Amino acid sequence: MTYNEQNIFARILRGELPAIKVYEDDRTLAFMDIMPQAEGHTLVIPKTAAVTLLDLPAEDAAYTIQIVQKVARAIEKALDKKGIILMQLSGEEAGQTVPHVHFHLIPESLHQLRQHAGQMGDQEHIKRLAEKIKAAIASE
Ligand code: AMP
């Protein structure tokens, strides 16, 4: 699938748009979802320009999943949660709204989720959660 360099996550990666970051290395970035489906909703993205999981080279996918695990562990620890949803929407037909591959981590029951990309969260509250998650990652 053709990659649009102007998509929101590409712009976040280039530093053109702000994000509430919890982890970054040379291959991945993790940041808070601004319209969380539950408290602690976090996104992990590879820096590779790929639209869907199927466009992502296998080695980038494998590396990104390690970071997904790292961030998931930190979310559970930082927010004292048990159980986490890992969601990955590939393609508009599946409901994907941002065309840069990303993994959603949502520490909540499937039956309690708010609407997908429905409503802006309280950004100050989200920043406080991000600080806790960041600290948990740093202490791993
Ligand atoms: P998807 O529909 O799977 O592509 O998910 C895109 C996600 O990105 C949604 O959960 C949105 O709430 C979230 N989102 C959109 N814009 C931003 C942004 N600027 N920063 C953080 N999250 C965003």
Side-chain angles (χ1 to χ4, degrees), residues 70-85:
K70 178 196 265 300
V71 176
R73 277 194 288 267
I75 292 170
E76 282 201 342
K77 186 174 161 200
L79 307 186
D80 197 20
K81 294 273 190 178
K82 271 262 168 268
I84 195 153
I85 295 171

Side-chain angles (χ1 to χ4, degrees), residues 23-43:
Y23 176 83
E24 182 163 21
D25 63 25
D26 57 342
R27 299 172 73 180
T28 61
L29 175 67
F31 54 100
M32 304 307 286
D33 195 304
I34 49 168
M35 291 176 269
Q37 288 186 255
E39 182 160 293
H41 186 166
T42 306
L43 302 170

Side-chain angles (χ1 to χ4, degrees), residues 28-97:
T28 61
L29 175 67
F31 54 100
M32 304 307 286
D33 195 304
I34 49 168
M35 291 176 269
Q37 288 186 255
E39 182 160 293
H41 186 166
T42 306
L43 302 170
V44 180
I45 68 175
K47 293 189 173 177
T48 311
V51 181
T52 75
L53 182 62
L54 307 185
D55 303 317
L56 188 64
E59 59 211 39
D60 290 330
Y63 181 77
T64 306
I65 284 295
Q66 291 179 49
I67 304 306
V68 165
Q69 286 183 316
K70 178 196 265 300
V71 176
R73 277 194 288 267
I75 292 170
E76 282 201 342
K77 186 174 161 200
L79 307 186
D80 197 20
K81 294 273 190 178
K82 271 262 168 268
I84 195 153
I85 295 171
L86 169 59
M87 180 170 78
Q88 203 293 306
L89 305 181
S90 272
E92 275 173 19
E93 297 80 354
Q96 182 179 3
T97 56

Side-chain angles (χ1 to χ4, degrees), residues 122-139:
D122 173 342
Q123 301 302 299
E124 289 309 312
H125 180 61
I126 293 173
K127 279 181 194 161
R128 286 194 291 276
L129 297 173
E131 287 308 317
K132 291 185 185 178
I133 297 168
K134 241 196 283 189
I137 291 172
S139 73

